[in-house]
Amino acid sequence: MQDAVATLTPPQIHALPRQVFVRQQEMPPRHLFASHTHPWHQLLYATSGTLVASLKDQRLFVPSGSAVWLPAGVEHSTYTEFGAELKSLYIDSAFDTLENRRPLVLSVSPLMRELILTAANFDTEYPVHGYENDLVQVLLQTLERLPQRGHTLPWPSEPRLADLCNALFANPSHRPVLNEAAQALAMSARTLERHFRQQTGITLQAWYSRMRLMKAIEMLSTPMSVTQIALELGYSAPAPFIQMFREKMGVSPNQYRSSGPLG
């Protein structure tokens, strides 16, 4: 029997002590920060493991070495299936040079990684002039130059379609059959496909394929073997899984894993 999800409480901060406030967090497996908002921007950097940020219309996968940009006021929850360590940067909402109205998954460069790790050791109320503040300004300038990653999965808001996606997400080895899924939702296959595309911008099968890829990236942050991952995702053998992963990511699963955090 799988352990229940445990809920964590976000820190109760009413105002930022400085333009950038960094906190460090270790999330055990199957832990969740429940849905909430901030009056400031947030950059969640996964230093190990994989985070999944859930928003109203999408889920963003944040493997080690990546970060998710969450603009001020965006409602979100954060979950890890296998455990993760993270650095969370709260950034004053006056910072507006990034595309801060849209959540993004970003690759963390080696420079950005070192800037974040250094800033994480600053006093909460670091001097507003001098070395600490200068480094924070370089951090913000570097942030707006980080490349985006396409680790996003659209999510329907219509309750029946959302339930379908939740079921597939929880059991990625179960490939959806359009006619069967439509029958379970008391609609025709054509109606299901039309509604699903309207809600997500892609077909159900395309969504399922992208979801399995995101799940694979998540599992590759664990000690699970490639064979185990392939079977968990419903492949009959490792070879077709490896071929799919190479086609989508440009490298094999083992090459992806051995490359380590991009940051």
Side-chain angles (χ1 to χ4, degrees), residues 1-238:
M1 182 177 178
Q2 197 171 38
D3 294 338
V5 174
T7 301
L8 300 170
T9 302
Q12 300 301 306
I13 300 174
H14 302 291
L16 296 185
R18 290 291 184 265
Q19 185 181 17
V20 175
F21 169 68
V22 184
R23 65 181 185 84
Q24 307 182 61
Q25 179 83 39
E26 181 174 346
M27 294 180 67
R30 295 187 60 75
H31 275 63
L32 168 80
F33 280 109
S35 188
H36 62 285
T37 62
H38 304 292
W40 44 74
H41 308 311
Q42 183 177 22
L43 184 75
L44 275 174
Y45 168 43
T47 55
S48 70
T50 299
L51 302 170
V52 180
S54 296
L55 285 68
K56 179 181 179 181
D57 59 352
Q58 61 182 327
R59 292 191 180 182
L60 295 88
F61 287 73
V62 191
S64 179
S66 302
V68 60
W69 171 257
L70 298 166
V74 170
E75 186 171 354
H76 62 280
S77 62
T78 308
Y79 174 73
T80 179
E81 177 70 21
F82 302 105
E85 294 181 359
L86 60 93
K87 300 285 191 292
S88 181
L89 283 69
Y90 290 162
I91 301 172
D92 192 283
S93 59
F95 174 73
D96 61 1
T97 53
L98 194 72
E99 289 184 77
N100 54 34
R101 296 181 183 178
R102 182 165 65 92
L104 303 167
V105 180
L106 305 169
S107 289
V108 175
S109 65
L111 172 60
M112 187 65 172
R113 176 182 182 275
E114 293 306 317
L115 291 170
I116 292 174
L117 295 181
T118 302
N121 293 317
F122 289 170
D123 292 336
T124 300
E125 297 185 357
Y126 56 80
V128 294
H129 301 288
Y131 167 72
E132 290 88 348
N133 186 67
D134 289 347
L135 185 140
V136 165
Q137 300 312 309
V138 174
L139 184 154
L140 293 175
Q141 292 171 24
T142 304
L143 169 59
E144 63 193 54
R145 292 169 171 80
L146 296 180
Q148 298 179 24
R149 304 185 74 176
H151 289 9
T152 61
L153 185 67
W155 208 268
S157 58
E158 201 280 328
R160 291 177 298 173
L161 299 185
D163 288 343
L164 172 62
C165 289
N166 283 327
L168 294 172
F169 192 81
N171 186 13
S173 66
H174 181 70
R175 179 181 292 276
V177 177
L178 185 60
N179 289 332
E180 293 177 0
Q183 185 176 7
L185 297 178
M187 62 177 70
S188 70
R190 179 176 295 182
T191 299
L192 170 57
E193 197 71 299
R194 184 178 73 253
H195 286 341
F196 198 90
R197 188 185 286 272
Q198 288 173 345
Q199 290 271 307
T200 66
I202 58 178
T203 67
L204 177 60
Q205 290 300 330
W207 184 93
Y208 174 72
S209 296
R210 187 182 299 183
M211 182 270 290
R212 285 209 296 180
L213 176 62
M214 294 298 101
K215 283 282 193 177
I217 289 171
E218 182 180 36
M219 292 178 186
L220 284 167
S221 68
T222 75
M224 293 174 65
S225 70
V226 170
T227 298
Q228 286 178 298
I229 294 172
L231 296 177
E232 285 285 333
L233 295 176
Y235 290 89
S236 58

